[in-house]
Amino acid sequence: MAHLADYIPSLLTLCVIGLGLAFFHWVLIRRNTHLTSDQRLPRQLIMLLLTFVSVIAFVLSLPLSEAIQNQILALIGILLSGVIAFSSTTIVSNVMAGLVLRFNKPFRLGDFVRVNGFSGRVAEMGLLETEIQTETRELIAFANTILINSPVTVVRSSGAIVSVELSLGYEIHHSKVEQHLLQAGTEAGLEEPFVQVISLGDFSVTYRIAGLLTDVKSMISARSKLHKAVLDCLHNANIEIVSPTFVNSRPQPDGRVMIPVRQRIVQVNEPDASRPEDILFDKAEEAEAIQRDKMTVEAELAAIQEQLSGADSEQKDALKARRDELKAQLAELATPVKEEAEQIESAPGVIKSPDAE
């Protein structure tokens, strides 16, 4: 009986530890159901650290000799070292890389990125991999270690430079070319367009017309508009866009220039839904919209939590009802993302990087 009584302090310690962990879990995670995965992650790491400290405290409370306690603690240290050593493998490395991306946030859902020769918009960010939707509507899953170890180009949300390069003959003065290219940039809707002379070749001069595009979501459409505006402005100025070494074996009338006949342009009011970006980046658009809605709902939930402390009983009932509605909205917003994530593996348009396995 005395031997069993020696374990009573350890059992009391175990009960205190269990109640303490349950309390901290309720304070940090359970009562904050409106938190996103990014906001919940540091709280989960805190709970993991508290659990590890609790295990050590329980071992120290056991009625064992100091030598045995040291052996148990050494065993725990070996297990922890094994987990850390295992981090060099693919799965754990990707998890750690995912944590780094979540903390550093070099890009967000919906951003235009370019990595390893692929470009597109970020459609999903997970602990193991990040999914990018390309301009051909394909979904490419990159292992997070690739995004950590490779240079990633991110298009700034405040604007991006859209440009077109073309070669013209030396017989055309560069000031004339610059005048019409600047006009093309303005007609394409670019801000502060500028022209650069890229190179002086053996037979032609290479020009670059560029400008600032503030609506980065319409980058593909803007690039197409710039190409068409360059064609129209140069052809309307009777400037041929052909190589100086151009050879045509077909007989041509004297004075024939290689400019298409001017057509009467009819303006067609196309709805915004007809933009190619809405089709090419549908998943990225949906993910960005869901993330934006989540942030709005979470901000309102946080405001309600602050108002509850100083509200009377009648106001509290109304605030709690509104809080329940917002929590239901958060659950609905999370549902389509989870359902689509489960379909990624079976989707025919998904391309996975080798390190994602």
Side-chain angles (χ1 to χ4, degrees):
M1 191 69 179
H3 180 71
L4 184 61
D6 293 338
Y7 287 92
I8 292 179
S10 301
L11 294 176
L12 292 176
T13 303
L14 182 61
C15 293
V16 172
I17 289 175
L19 293 175
L21 290 177
F23 172 75
F24 281 110
H25 183 269
W26 180 79
V27 171
L28 295 175
I29 299 176
R30 189 170 181 180
R31 74 169 184 173
N32 299 305
T33 56
H34 60 281
L35 297 177
T36 63
S37 57
D38 290 339
Q39 295 172 332
R40 195 179 296 111
L41 181 61
R43 299 169 181 261
Q44 292 172 337
L45 293 177
I46 292 174
M47 282 301 306
L48 181 62
L49 179 61
L50 290 175
T51 303
F52 179 72
V53 173
S54 300
V55 171
I56 295 178
F58 176 71
V59 172
L60 294 176
S61 69
L62 291 173
L64 303 173
S65 63
E66 185 177 353
I68 296 178
Q69 288 181 347
N70 291 337
Q71 290 177 0
I72 296 176
L73 293 177
L75 178 61
I76 295 176
I78 292 173
L79 292 176
L80 182 61
S81 301
V83 172
I84 296 176
F86 185 65
S87 64
S88 60
T89 61
T90 303
I91 296 177
V92 181
S93 296
N94 285 326
V95 171
M96 291 189 171
L99 294 177
V100 172
L101 292 176
R102 285 170 181 263
F103 284 123
N104 292 343
K105 294 183 178 179
F107 48 80
R108 301 175 183 271
L109 288 174
D111 285 351
F112 277 91
V113 297
R114 182 166 60 252
V115 56
N116 285 0
F118 295 94
S119 62
R121 295 182 64 183
V122 180
E124 186 173 340
M125 298 177 62
L127 279 179
L128 291 176
E129 60 191 20
T130 297
E131 192 176 80
I132 296 176
Q133 191 168 23
T134 67
E135 296 182 4
T136 56
R137 208 170 179 266
E138 294 176 330
L139 299 175
I140 302 180
F142 285 98
N144 287 331
T145 51
I146 293 180
L147 301 179
I148 291 293
N149 298 323
S150 303
V152 179
T153 303
V154 182
V155 177
R156 298 176 58 184
S157 59
S158 58
I161 297 297
V162 176
S163 63
V164 170
E165 294 184 9
L166 71 158
S167 299
L168 298 173
Y170 280 96
E171 71 277 6
I172 309 172
H173 197 271
H174 64 84
S175 61
K176 183 179 180 181
V177 175
E178 182 177 4
Q179 172 188 354
H180 295 294
L181 289 181
L182 289 175
Q183 179 185 354
T186 303
E187 292 181 1
L190 303 181
E191 298 182 8
E192 303 179 7
F194 57 92
V195 177
Q196 296 173 297
V197 177
I198 301 300
S199 65
L200 302 178
D202 293 337
F203 306 101
S204 62
V205 181
T206 302
Y207 298 91
R208 179 174 181 253
I209 168 64
L212 178 64
L213 175 68
T214 54
D215 183 14
V216 294
K217 293 184 179 180
S218 61
M219 188 180 301
I220 296 178
S221 299
R223 192 180 296 121
S224 176
K225 288 181 181 178
L226 182 58
H227 279 85
K228 291 186 287 188
V230 169
L231 287 173
D232 293 339
C233 291
L234 293 183
H235 285 168
N236 290 341
N238 292 324
I239 297 178
E240 292 181 293
I241 311 177
V242 293
S243 171
T245 57
F246 174 77
V247 176
N248 193 337
S249 60
R250 294 173 298 174
Q252 299 290 333
D254 293 339
R256 175 71 182 271
V257 294
M258 303 308 298
I259 299 177
V261 179
R262 297 181 185 179
Q263 301 291 331
R264 182 169 175 263
I265 301 176
V266 179
Q267 297 291 339
V268 179
N269 295 325
E270 297 182 355
D272 293 339
S274 63
R275 297 189 314 165
E277 288 85 356
D278 296 335
I279 301 175
L280 299 177
F281 303 117
D282 57 334
K283 184 174 182 181
E285 284 281 356
E286 182 182 1
E288 185 182 14
I290 291 175
Q291 184 69 15
R292 186 168 54 247
D293 294 341
K294 281 184 179 179
M295 294 175 63
T296 303
V297 174
E298 289 163 4
E300 188 175 351
L301 271 174
I304 290 177
Q305 288 291 124
E306 294 179 359
Q307 295 173 8
L308 279 172
S309 58
D312 55 28
S313 59
E314 185 177 350
Q315 291 177 338
K316 282 185 177 180
D317 293 338
L319 290 174
K320 288 180 179 179
R322 178 57 180 165
R323 183 183 61 183
D324 294 338
E325 293 178 3
L326 294 175
K327 289 182 178 180
Q329 290 181 18
L330 274 181
E332 292 178 359
L333 289 173
T335 301
V337 177
K338 293 180 180 178
E339 290 178 351
E340 190 155 1
E342 294 174 354
Q343 299 173 358
I344 291 178
E345 296 294 335
S346 58
V350 176
I351 302 176
K352 283 207 170 189
S353 59
D355 291 345
E357 294 296 334

